[in-house]
Amino acid sequence: MGYESVYERAMRDPDSFWAEAASLIDWASPWEQALDRSKPPFYRWFSGATLNTCYNAVDRHVEAGRGEQTAIIHDSPVTHTKRRISYAELQDQTARFAGVLQSLGVSKGDRVIIYMPMVPEALIAMLGCARIGAIHSVVFGGFSAHELATRIDDAQPRVMVAGSCGIEPNRVVHYKPLLDAAIEQATHKPSHCILLQRPEEPGSLIPGRDLGWHEAMERAQPAACVPVAATDPLYILYTSGTTGQPKGVVRDNGGHAVAMAWSMRHVYDMQPGEVFWAASDVGWVVGHSYIVYAPLLSGCTTIVYEGKPVGTPDAGAFWRVIEEHDVSVLFTAPTAFRAIKREDPRAEHLARYNIGSLRALFLAGERCDPDTLTWAQSILGVPVIDHWWQTETGWAIAANCLGIEALPVKAGSPTRAVPGYDIQVLDDEGEPAKPGAIGRIMLRLPLPPGCLSTLWGNDERFVQSYLSAQPGYYLTGDAGYLDEEGYLFVMSRIDDIINVAGHRLSTGAMEAVLASHPDVAECAVIGAADALKGELPLGLVVLKSGVEREAADIGHELVERVRDQIGPVAAFKTVAVVKRLPKTRSGKILRGTMKAIADGKDYRMPATIDDPAILDEIQSALSAIGYAHRV
Ligand code: COA
Ligand code: AMP
């Protein structure tokens, strides 16, 4: 069946389409309804059914004879180690880890926060939670203690699981001190921490609270899989919202398992036994979905890569991993390919490797610029697929579904709606925009299985953030257009979210940090274009009158503050001190205009601007620090 007919079937009769897809999963008991529409706008998939996600990702493959197959390859150039874990070993490890959690009083519905680098134990911890119905929340290692504390207070975990350290090419990340500081700052106090001691920097254990991973695992009684409701939460994943308070995206068990298994076959064209590599991090949604759950639910081998595209040791790192582990499909962010291209524009490293196993490259996380797309196509000689999605959906909204039918690629477009998603571009009046006209990208409800069911503990914020802009639609927060052939083009965000090296960040959260500095009267943070990372945050600050300290000193303090309060991942390194910020007559800061100036682009003088002369001041302040050059 071709793309058109599969898409049409999914739209016409979603209940039977997804009920059929659900046969990819083993259920403990069947559902009453595939799609429960009884409480709109809250839709629920597979209500009444029970299952266990860990059983589906691990145990059933062992029962089906895949016990000896490698489930996880840990390839870690930063520690010079490689390790393979079979499905049988993974079953033993997850059962033991689930036993450790149970011995600490964790049971169904309890939260466990995981703060770990790219090591297999992060996956074992996630699966161990799923095994007993506990809800995990993984926090990316590049976030600061303060961000971790915010998540501790929101999720209220019973237990924390952490690595003692992470290894970045230029430094060791001190996870254990960050963990201790976060617990110190948080109001909620988890009762225990399980610490994976890494030889590069072991952490000190706090008696009575902290346990070593290995010792706890040795003593543990393996725990069985506990069936949970399809609609019970599997995990919470925090993502940047428009305020400093991150949003806890909640994913259910049943719909998620179905979406993961279906997408592995139909979007990525993967078969059981093949090797899938998502070069991302378990702290992001790409890691949750395509390092952990989708490959394992599908009986594939997944790669946990603890390294970078360049510098570990060189720009041939990706090709080495593909050759060495027979990777069929690679998934990463365009920024990784920009980094490789910058170091090795003629792809000379590629000549040293045989990447014949590679069938396709999938890119997501940020807009894929046509240059990067064509470069990747030309050096790899396989389909390069841009696909668009977000933490909230958990899997692709628009893609070229290679497992259904490869459609012609249009540079700059993630192709067409994935079956199950009804993508609409609406204008300011809420009417469908004409082909080619830019509007808000919305998804008509109900969403397919696997998308967020709510925000943790906050149904109201879920409805207000996503479902209120237009009744009956989900607001993606992206703007773009559909062309005559239904190809989607995603152009920009409509809120203050920026994308830095494929990482989603809130400029509002950074502004809150800058505004808390005693010398700052007013500030704005914009995402300025960057050739490597797509965008980089740029702060503009107005100092309080009477402040006579050196602007450079204040700038350093602000950079340190953002690093300390949000984390190195924010990549906040540049501050311009300006006399005034441009505003509308009603006092709204003209961030879009300042971004155009920083990027050296043409802009229209805003009709409501209070004082146009301020724009010249901004222009010269930004030119002085290397921005605002016309392109
Ligand atoms: N733990 C702690 N710190 C981390 C971290 C982690 N897991 N990941 C990144 N950081 C730190 C980096 O060390 C860097 O710190 P620094 O300011 O001290 O140098 C900072 O956060 C910014 O990181 P990043 O923006 O990733 O820049 P980078 O220079 O380290 O690497 C790329 C640039 C392009 C090579 C890298 O971002 C990359 O490989 N991206 C593509 C893949 C990807 O992860 N995509 C995510 C979604 S699919
Ligand atoms: P995240 O929730 O971190 O996955 O970030 C999601 C956001 O990243 C989306 O809402 C888009 O703004 C952006 N994004 C992700 N993939 C793409 C893509 N293929 N093209 C354009 N933007 C993308």
Side-chain angles (χ1 to χ4, degrees), residues 147-185:
E147 288 285 320
L148 181 57
T150 310
R151 286 150 175 80
I152 293 174
D153 279 334
D154 197 70
Q156 311 233 323
R158 190 179 277 269
V159 166
M160 310 280 298
V161 188
S164 59
C165 69
I167 323 284
E168 283 293 292
N170 56 355
R171 71 201 149 91
V172 170
V173 184
H174 313 294
Y175 274 76
K176 183 56 173 46
L178 288 166
L179 173 78
D180 291 342
I183 295 175
E184 180 72 36
Q185 284 175 35

Side-chain angles (χ1 to χ4, degrees), residues 62 102 134 157 175 196 294 418-419 434-435 479 492 507 509 525 535 566 576 617:
V62 178
Q102 278 181 338
Y175 274 76
L196 177 74
V418 169
K434 293 203 178 59
S492 60
T507 54
V525 175
E535 287 182 303
I566 298 179
E617 294 170 19

Side-chain angles (χ1 to χ4, degrees), residues 181 352 551:
R352 295 193 282 130

Side-chain angles (χ1 to χ4, degrees), residues 202-259:
S204 55
L205 299 180
I206 295 182
R209 190 196 75 180
D210 299 349
L211 301 79
W213 173 286
H214 296 294
E215 302 75 61
M217 288 289 265
E218 264 164 35
R219 286 198 306 269
Q221 291 297 318
C225 294
V226 176
V228 300
T231 51
D232 279 341
L234 168 68
Y235 69 76
I236 307 166
L237 178 57
Y238 288 90
T239 190
S240 301
T242 47
T243 65
Q245 183 67 24
K247 294 167 165 171
V249 165
V250 177
R251 195 89 59 213
D252 67 4
N253 273 273
H256 171 255
V258 173

Side-chain angles (χ1 to χ4, degrees), residues 40-260:
F42 294 88
Y43 295 91
R44 294 286 180 257
W45 284 98
F46 308 111
S47 287
T50 59
L51 78 160
N52 183 279
T53 297
C54 179
Y55 173 78
N56 274 278
V58 183
D59 300 60
R60 67 167 173 160
H61 301 313
V62 178
E63 289 169 15
R66 289 191 179 278
E68 297 310 306
Q69 184 194 311
T70 302
I72 301 173
I73 299 172
H74 183 219
D75 186 305
S76 171
V78 292
T79 57
H80 309 285
T81 56
K82 286 173 204 163
R83 184 173 145 207
R84 287 174 170 265
I85 298 174
S86 68
Y87 270 102
E89 286 163 329
L90 185 59
Q91 182 183 33
D92 174 62
Q93 296 284 300
T94 51
R96 279 178 183 277
F97 189 75
V100 173
L101 290 175
Q102 278 181 338
S103 72
L104 299 176
V106 176
S107 60
K108 186 170 166 290
D110 285 338
R111 275 81 57 210
V112 173
I113 284 190
I114 300 171
Y115 187 55
M116 292 183 107
M118 284 293 285
V119 290
E121 285 79 4
L123 285 70
I124 292 167
M126 294 163 79
L127 292 162
C129 291
R131 197 169 184 87
I132 55 170
I135 303 166
H136 62 71
S137 187
V138 182
V139 178
F140 178 62
F143 282 121
S144 66
H146 175 77
E147 288 285 320
L148 181 57
T150 310
R151 286 150 175 80
I152 293 174
D153 279 334
D154 197 70
Q156 311 233 323
R158 190 179 277 269
V159 166
M160 310 280 298
V161 188
S164 59
C165 69
I167 323 284
E168 283 293 292
N170 56 355
R171 71 201 149 91
V172 170
V173 184
H174 313 294
Y175 274 76
K176 183 56 173 46
L178 288 166
L179 173 78
D180 291 342
I183 295 175
E184 180 72 36
Q185 284 175 35
T187 311
H188 172 82
K189 305 290 177 201
S191 52
H192 291 285
C193 300
I194 304 167
L195 191 74
L196 177 74
Q197 296 284 24
R198 304 194 80 191
E200 292 77 12
E201 184 178 277
S204 55
L205 299 180
I206 295 182
R209 190 196 75 180
D210 299 349
L211 301 79
W213 173 286
H214 296 294
E215 302 75 61
M217 288 289 265
E218 264 164 35
R219 286 198 306 269
Q221 291 297 318
C225 294
V226 176
V228 300
T231 51
D232 279 341
L234 168 68
Y235 69 76
I236 307 166
L237 178 57
Y238 288 90
T239 190
S240 301
T242 47
T243 65
Q245 183 67 24
K247 294 167 165 171
V249 165
V250 177
R251 195 89 59 213
D252 67 4
N253 273 273
H256 171 255
V258 173
M260 291 297 101

Side-chain angles (χ1 to χ4, degrees), residues 140-142 168 170-171 173 175 279-281 284 286 308-309 332-333 335-336 339 501-503 533 563 568-569 573:
F140 178 62
E168 283 293 292
N170 56 355
R171 71 201 149 91
V173 184
Y175 274 76
S280 177
D281 189 288
W284 306 117
V286 173
K308 303 270 172 180
T332 191
T335 188
H503 308 140
K533 298 194 179 182
R563 202 173 166 92
V569 68
K573 306 227 155 123

Side-chain angles (χ1 to χ4, degrees), residues 239-240 284-286 334 363-368 385-393 397-398 412-414 476-479 489-493 495 497-499 502-505:
T239 190
S240 301
W284 306 117
V285 70
V286 173
L363 297 171
E366 58 176 327
R367 185 174 153 72
C368 179
I385 310 297
D386 174 18
H387 61 327
W388 168 69
W389 50 295
Q390 43 186 208
T391 305
E392 290 83 346
T393 63
I397 312 168
S413 167
T476 65
D478 284 305
F489 290 77
V490 182
M491 306 308 287
S492 60
R493 290 286 306 189
D495 50 21
I497 283 171
I498 58 169
N499 225 299
H503 308 140
R504 171 169 159 180
L505 298 163

